[in-house]
Amino acid sequence: MRAGATAAIVAGAVVVVGATAVIAGPGLYADWANRSAADAPSVTSTATEVDPADLDGEWTVATGSFAGYRVHEVLRGEDVTVTGRTDPASSDVTGTVTVADGSVTAAEVVVRVEAIATDQAPRDAYFRASVMDVDTFPTATFELTTPVVLDPGGRDVELTGDLTLRDVTREVTVPAQVAASTDGAQVAGSVPVTFTDFGIEAPSLGFVEVDEEGAVEFSLELVPAG
């Protein structure tokens, strides 16, 4: 399909979101959208504290993991929180983690951006084509650049590494939690991002305007490699 035709289809799809808000009423639409927003990721209540000695080795990101985004938008004067995520039942988030002597020494996570979805297909079409250009930049990645010492009995960590969106790489520090799970370990967190730092222009379509800052969110289920 030609680029012009694709752009026209996406633009038409986005208008559907605005039309829905008009028909339902901006206030009612905002209430519904905010109720649909997912909670911020965190380690599960059944997860236990980490003993770093038990985590030494190679780990793989497994099914049950997800990644996505959280943004604030103003739709016809109403505040709306939007979350988009990959399906935890899929394999759209992959990666590896290495723990040695109680420290995370290496980690790489890859996300298939096209798989990130919200509750609105028109919004997703715009996100994939106009915002993230997934045909050209199909994945987003995070690679740890600084080893992290795991605190016995603690959950909170800061992960410093390179985040790559749309082929633009920036160093970020990610506040996260680590805990043991039934079958391995879980890591969950969120990192604030300014879209222009990655060459991304926040949508402003008249009836909806997205903040220039948002967050990349993730929850990773880790199992022993091999």
Side-chain angles (χ1 to χ4, degrees):
M1 183 179 293
R2 291 181 301 174
T6 301
I9 291 172
V10 169
V14 173
V15 170
V16 173
V17 177
T20 301
V22 171
I23 294 170
L28 290 176
Y29 181 84
D31 288 344
W32 172 75
N34 287 326
R35 288 196 301 270
S36 299
D39 293 335
S42 62
V43 294
T44 61
S45 59
T46 57
T48 58
E49 295 179 343
V50 171
D51 181 351
D54 294 337
L55 298 182
D56 278 5
E58 301 289 332
W59 297 81
T60 299
V61 177
T63 301
S65 303
F66 66 81
Y69 67 86
R70 180 181 300 269
V71 296
H72 169 264
E73 64 184 28
V74 178
L75 195 153
R76 298 194 180 277
E78 298 289 337
D79 292 316
V80 179
T81 297
V82 175
T83 55
R85 291 184 174 174
T86 61
D87 182 355
S90 72
S91 299
D92 294 314
V93 182
T94 58
T96 57
V97 176
T98 302
V99 181
D101 298 326
S103 295
V104 181
T105 57
E108 182 178 33
V109 179
V110 180
V111 180
R112 191 169 73 90
V113 178
E114 185 178 11
I116 298 172
T118 68
D119 57 345
Q120 290 288 328
R123 178 191 287 119
D124 297 340
Y126 185 86
F127 168 78
R128 292 163 186 163
S130 299
V131 177
M132 297 302 293
D133 188 8
V134 297
D135 287 342
T136 306
F137 312 106
T139 62
T141 63
F142 173 81
E143 185 172 359
L144 189 74
T145 56
T146 303
V148 179
V149 178
L150 298 175
D151 181 20
R155 289 189 175 187
D156 296 333
V157 296
E158 286 193 343
L159 308 173
T160 298
D162 290 335
L163 176 65
T164 301
L165 304 175
R166 282 182 56 109
D167 210 31
V168 176
T169 301
R170 294 285 184 268
E171 183 179 80
V172 296
T173 298
V174 184
Q177 294 179 316
V178 180
S181 65
T182 303
D183 300 317
Q186 183 187 10
V187 184
S190 174
V191 53
V193 295
T194 300
F195 298 125
T196 54
D197 288 347
F198 294 91
I200 298 171
E201 184 176 351
S204 179
L205 304 175
F207 59 85
V208 60
E209 184 170 351
V210 179
D211 287 359
E212 294 183 356
E213 297 182 347
V216 174
E217 300 183 329
F218 63 91
S219 178
L220 306 178
E221 295 291 338
L222 304 179
V223 297

